[in-house]
Amino acid sequence: MAIQVFTLSEGSYSVDASKKFIPFDPQKDNPKDRPASLFIHVQPFLVKLENSLVLLDTGLGYSNAEGKLHLHENIRKAGFDPDDVELVLMSHLHFDHSGGMVHQHDGKMELSFPHATYVMQQGEWETAFSSKSSSYCTEIFDFIQRNAQIHLIEDSGKLTNEISYEFTGAHCPYHQVFLIEDGEDKVFFGGDVLPEPEELIRKFVAKYDYDGRKAMELRDDFGLRAAAEKWKCLFYHSKSKTQAFVELNDDKFIIV
């Protein structure tokens, strides 16, 4: 059975120096009203393997008007029960990737995935507690520490027969990426080291990366491997294609 991947789109947001994510609808909102803002899309991914259901990052954790988690509703729309998620794989713990680890409503906090194991790099977990950066929301991690099944990993390695992880750093000091393969398909999740397909086409050093030059080099490296090994790449912040293959044409990447 082929690996099934579902994009769980949480929508489009503007974010400025305050690191607050404000919903942004390009149809009716004017970017000029939000000076010095980055405009980003947020989309975690649900992966159905032969015997397990896996979530890649958890989005912002925002709820709809009825207090239901967008992430849960999107998983249900894909035809699955959020309670059946077994593994939550975290590329890193910045708020736009980790907010949905918990569901906050009516002044209460609960685990979004009570039956899942949350998988994180040990160094990123420690950074999330000690960092003064507003990119991390420590109260989430306090709650996770007390209530969730946690599996801390280090460096690069294999998590299961199908899932391997690679320590990259670059976007933040302990960022990691995941490759999922079943002997037939290969699915690559680059987190914020490869957040958009456009970043393969344009070479640049991004100010928002901890080590921009290394991130640029890694994007190139992953692009070459994706083209050579026919990876389906998942783009967490893409404004266009969220799932795509990469091809190489005269040393230039093409998104297919």
Side-chain angles (χ1 to χ4, degrees):
M1 177 180 144
I3 299 174
Q4 293 176 277
V5 182
F6 304 87
T7 302
L8 309 173
S9 178
E10 276 201 330
S12 177
Y13 298 84
S14 67
V15 56
D16 60 15
S18 73
K19 299 281 171 74
K20 285 193 170 62
F21 288 79
I22 313 293
F24 178 81
D25 181 348
Q27 302 299 318
K28 56 182 205 293
D29 294 328
N30 185 347
K32 290 188 176 137
D33 295 338
R34 314 224 181 148
S37 289
L38 278 173
F39 295 90
I40 65 166
H41 291 256
V42 174
Q43 45 242 344
F45 295 92
L46 187 71
V47 180
K48 175 72 178 86
L49 297 170
E50 190 175 8
N51 297 310
S52 63
L53 200 56
V54 177
L55 184 67
L56 295 164
D57 286 351
T58 66
L60 289 155
Y62 289 172
S63 298
N64 64 17
E66 289 96 62
K68 291 180 174 166
L69 199 63
H70 286 310
L71 187 56
H72 283 174
E73 295 299 282
N74 285 336
I75 290 171
R76 289 187 186 103
K77 272 187 210 145
F80 300 94
D81 185 334
D83 277 353
D84 292 338
V85 172
E86 290 174 38
L87 285 173
V88 177
L89 306 181
M90 302 300 301
S91 66
H92 64 302
L93 295 173
H94 287 167
F95 179 67
D96 56 321
H97 293 254
S98 65
M101 294 167 92
V102 297
H103 182 198
Q104 303 188 61
H105 64 112
D106 293 341
K108 294 198 303 283
M109 195 182 281
E110 56 194 36
L111 284 179
S112 301
F113 304 98
H115 307 300
T117 300
Y118 290 77
V119 180
M120 298 162 279
Q121 276 280 331
Q122 171 103 33
E124 181 67 0
W125 181 241
E126 290 166 3
T127 300
F129 280 101
S130 61
S131 175
K132 299 284 185 281
S133 166
S134 57
S135 295
Y136 295 101
C137 179
T138 313
E139 70 170 328
I140 290 175
F141 310 126
D142 282 336
F143 187 84
I144 291 285
Q145 187 169 43
R146 291 197 305 274
N147 297 282
Q149 302 256 36
I150 297 172
H151 180 37
L152 297 177
I153 52 182
E154 291 185 82
D155 302 322
S156 303
K158 272 185 97 67
L159 190 64
T160 68
N161 286 336
E162 297 158 307
I163 301 168
S164 52
Y165 55 94
E166 192 169 322
F167 171 75
T168 60
H171 174 66
C172 55
Y174 293 96
H175 187 282
Q176 65 182 343
V177 300
F178 296 95
L179 183 66
I180 303 174
E181 43 194 330
D182 66 351
E184 187 181 335
D185 297 324
K186 295 183 177 181
V187 173
F188 175 72
F189 179 57
D192 273 3
V193 165
L194 187 50
E196 301 180 72
E198 292 77 12
E199 294 198 4
L200 281 172
I201 295 162
R202 297 179 297 126
K203 280 191 171 55
F204 64 96
V205 174
K207 288 194 177 73
Y208 47 73
D209 287 323
Y210 168 73
D211 184 339
R213 183 153 298 282
K214 184 182 179 190
M216 181 179 72
E217 289 163 0
L218 281 168
R219 285 197 290 273
D220 212 44
D221 179 44
F222 288 133
L224 291 169
R225 287 163 65 186
E229 298 178 30
K230 296 190 169 45
W231 294 351
K232 176 188 270 191
C233 295
L234 310 182
F235 300 106
Y236 190 86
H237 289 307
S238 178
K239 296 172 184 65
S240 52
K241 295 183 178 77
T242 61
Q243 306 183 27
F245 292 92
V246 177
E247 289 179 0
L248 205 54
N249 184 0
D250 295 337
D251 292 340
K252 286 197 168 56
F253 290 118
I254 300 166
I255 309 301
V256 184

